Every structure is written in structure tokens, then in C-alpha cells.
Amino acid sequence: MKKHILIISIGILLGFLVGYYMLVSEQDNNVNAFILFITSLLGVLVAYVNYFLSIFLDKQMPWKRYEGSRLFTGVISHFILSLCLSLLGFYFYTAINNGFSFLETYKLTSIKLGILLFLISIVFQVIYFVLYSYYSYSILQIETVKLERNQVEHQLNALKSQISPHFLFNGLNTASSLIHKDETKASLFIRKLAQMYAHVLKSYSNKLTTVEKELELVESYNFLISNRFGDKYNCEITIDNEILETKIPPLAIEMLVENAVKHNVLSEELPLKVSITNDDQFIYVENNITSTPKKVPSLQIGLKNINTRYVLLTGRGVVITNGNRFLVKLPIIR
């Protein structure tokens, strides 16, 4: 609707101005509103014809492939069409109302009209080219962003699809180790594991979760591990209240705690101590390094998965420090 209003407005304006120039500026007689009304209608007709001509040329000679030729062809074709329609309109009007030949009486004015329409055609094509280029660039940018977003979505979905098997694999591996030592604890562990897995299935499909919900999952995991290892394992969580509503990728903290348990030997002489703290920019997940267990099965997902998800979501990865203690800094997403 806005497009047609614009075409009609431009047609009326140009038709009025050209009609005033042709029939008012060049002579003083027969000056009336009806003449200007006719020229305004003619301007609307010319504007619409040129609009459809532009659409036709865009299909036959796309700007991307025939930029120079399209500009030249557009100027010439618009000029010829506009001049022919204008002269034809004025010719019939003067022939019907005055009975004389328009071209003989207004020969000099017709030449001036041709020059005026040629200049208008050039200006129109330049403006049309600029607007078309801007529109094409905008569409290209939008399509690029959509393509990048779809690519990120596919990558995130692939990464998130790893999380559920990763969690289940580690949980079942822990249950397998526990069941030979304490059947009661193993039974409790499996029930808790089922509840946690249900939580994982609900949360892993989301891009982000709150720190508070993530810590609830970590607390549940700590309960399971504490039942298995007792005093050999300790996890201390000290997170500021204002950080609880900020965002992180689902299972980011929980997977780090899992990795700490998996890749360290837990003993009464040297227990595993995990601490979860924060500052204004990061959540710190840190653990002491005991000794590496032999033949630890792994899906090789944890850290790489977390880091890649952070890069896709925020453009920056996690910070890892591996020395006397193993530290991972997770950026806080606000």
C-alpha cells in the first residue's frame, strides 16, 4: 500500500510540474486547473508504466550481472517511454480541445520536454540503483545473519546431543563401581541418577540456564558422589546471590565437577576438594590434583563441549589453568 501511495504521489508531483512548465510557463492563455489535473493524471500513468518497466528490466537484466548495461538501458528506455506517453497525451489533448497539431505549435517546448524527461530519467535510475543496492545489501546481510544463526543452531544442537549420553555414561559407570561395594547406596544412587537424568533431559535442550538451577543439579550430583566416596570427596559452593539469576550453558558446572571426580584418584589421605566461587565476570570451578586413575573410560566431551558452546553463544571461550590446581573460569552471561 505504501508503495502505491509513493508512486501516485511522485506521479502527481512530476505531472503537475511538467504540465505547469509545458502549458503555463510557455503561454499565458488557457491556464486552468483542469489542464494541470490532466497532466497530473498523465504523470501517474507514466510513473506506473515506468515502475512496471523497472520490474521487467530487473528480471531481464539483473543489476548484479549487468550493472552498467542495466543503468544505460534503464535511462534510455525510461526516457523514450516517458517522452512518448507525454507527447501522446499532450497531442490528443490539444487535438481534441484546440484542433491544432501539438508538435507544430509546441515544437520548441517538446524539445525542452525531452531534455527535462531525459534528466529525470537519469536521476530516477541513479536513485533507483542506490535504493536497489541498499535493499539488496540489506537482504544479503539478513540472509548472512540467518545462515550464521542456523549454522550456530545446528552446532549447538549437535553439542547438546552429546551432553545427555555423556551424563548417562558417567552416571552408569559410577553406579557400576558402587554396586559391587554397597548395594543399598547403589540403589539410592540409581534412583537419584534417574531424577537427575530427567532434569538433564529438560534442561539440555535450552541454550542457557540460570546459575541457580545449575547449582541445584550440582548439589544433587554432590549427594550422589558423597554417598559413594564419603570423606574422600568435598565440594564447597560459595556463589553470590546476585549471580544466581545470571546465565550459563546447561550442565557447564556439573560437567566440570564430573570431570574432576573422573580424572582424579579419591582417597582418605588425599581427598578431592572442589570449590565453586565467583567474581563479577567469571564463575570459578577449581579442584586439587591428586593422581590420575588408570584406564578411565571417557567420551572426550567435557571441556571441549563447554568451551565450544561458550564460543558459539558469547564469542569467547572458557579460561583454563592447569598447574598445582586445575581451574576453569566460566564467563558469566548477563
Side-chain angles (χ1 to χ4, degrees):
M1 187 65 183
K2 292 181 179 179
K3 174 179 64 180
H4 293 289
I5 293 176
L6 180 62
I7 294 173
I8 292 173
S9 300
I10 293 175
I12 292 174
L13 178 62
L14 292 179
F16 180 88
L17 293 176
V18 171
Y20 185 86
Y21 169 77
M22 291 287 294
L23 301 178
V24 178
S25 297
E26 294 295 317
Q27 64 179 49
D28 295 329
N29 59 328
N30 296 325
V31 178
N32 56 65
F34 181 72
I35 297 176
L36 297 179
F37 174 74
I38 294 298
T39 58
S40 298
L41 291 180
L42 182 60
V44 174
L45 174 63
V46 172
Y48 264 105
V49 171
N50 282 317
Y51 167 72
F52 289 112
L53 176 62
S54 296
I55 296 176
F56 174 78
L57 291 176
D58 289 342
K59 293 180 180 179
Q60 301 300 318
M61 301 178 67
W63 285 100
K64 291 182 180 179
R65 294 180 58 188
Y66 307 100
E67 190 174 287
S69 302
R70 171 66 179 84
L71 182 62
F72 176 78
T73 304
V75 170
I76 298 302
S77 59
H78 280 77
F79 163 68
I80 293 175
L81 188 60
S82 299
L83 182 62
C84 290
L85 287 174
S86 299
L87 291 178
L88 191 63
F90 284 122
Y91 175 80
F92 279 112
Y93 177 79
T94 54
I96 294 173
N97 290 277
N98 302 312
F100 58 82
S101 173
F102 173 81
L103 292 177
E104 293 178 0
T105 306
Y106 296 103
K107 184 176 181 179
L108 181 60
T109 304
S110 299
I111 295 175
K112 292 181 179 180
L113 174 64
I115 296 173
L116 179 62
L117 290 178
F118 183 72
L119 293 175
I120 292 175
S121 298
I122 294 176
V123 172
F124 171 79
Q125 283 301 306
V126 171
I127 294 176
Y128 184 81
F129 172 70
V130 171
L131 294 177
Y132 185 87
S133 299
Y134 176 76
Y135 176 77
S136 299
Y137 175 77
S138 301
I139 293 297
L140 178 62
Q141 291 296 101
I142 293 172
E143 292 299 324
T144 301
V145 170
K146 285 183 178 179
L147 182 63
E148 292 176 351
R149 183 175 180 180
N150 288 337
Q151 185 176 3
V152 169
E153 291 284 349
H154 289 314
Q155 289 177 285
L156 280 174
N157 288 334
L159 290 168
K160 288 186 293 186
S161 67
Q162 297 174 340
I163 296 175
S164 182
H166 168 85
F167 179 86
L168 184 59
F169 177 85
N170 289 341
L172 292 176
N173 183 58
T174 303
S176 176
S177 301
L178 187 62
I179 200 167
H180 297 290
K181 299 177 182 178
D182 191 325
E183 292 186 1
T184 302
K185 286 186 177 181
S187 177
L188 177 62
F189 182 92
I190 292 172
R191 286 198 298 271
K192 274 288 185 180
L193 178 64
Q195 295 174 6
M196 288 182 63
Y197 192 67
H199 177 83
V200 170
L201 290 176
K202 293 178 181 178
S203 63
Y204 93 99
S205 60
N206 300 322
K207 293 180 183 178
L208 295 169
T209 187
T210 63
V211 172
E212 184 177 16
K213 289 184 178 180
E214 177 69 9
L215 291 178
E216 290 176 1
L217 182 62
V218 173
E219 292 282 9
S220 297
Y221 180 77
N222 287 337
F223 174 80
L224 299 181
I225 298 302
S226 296
N227 270 279
R228 176 184 174 186
F229 293 104
D231 294 336
K232 300 176 184 178
Y233 170 80
N234 179 60
C235 180
E236 184 178 349
I237 301 175
T238 309
I239 296 292
D240 297 336
N241 290 332
E242 59 268 22
I243 301 298
L244 295 177
E245 293 303 318
T246 59
K247 305 289 186 179
I248 60 170
L251 278 75
I253 300 177
E254 192 277 335
M255 291 176 75
L256 292 176
V257 177
E258 273 192 48
N259 284 345
V261 174
K262 178 190 291 186
H263 296 291
N264 287 278
V265 174
L266 282 67
S267 64
E268 293 180 357
E269 295 77 18
L270 190 57
L272 177 66
K273 296 181 179 180
V274 180
S275 66
I276 303 172
T277 57
N278 73 275
D279 60 17
D280 291 338
Q281 297 184 3
F282 296 95
I283 291 176
Y284 298 83
V285 182
E286 186 177 16
N287 64 271
N288 62 320
I289 298 175
T290 60
S291 58
T292 305
K294 298 179 180 180
K295 298 181 180 180
V296 177
S298 175
L299 296 181
Q300 300 296 322
I301 292 174
L303 275 175
K304 184 178 179 181
N305 181 291
I306 296 169
N307 184 67
T308 306
R309 281 191 290 156
Y310 260 106
V311 171
L312 290 173
L313 290 168
T314 67
R316 57 176 181 165
V318 302
V319 181
I320 301 172
T321 303
N322 192 2
N324 294 328
R325 297 179 65 82
F326 188 78
L327 170 65
V328 179
K329 299 196 311 187
L330 302 173
I332 296 172
I333 304 172
R334 289 183 166 84

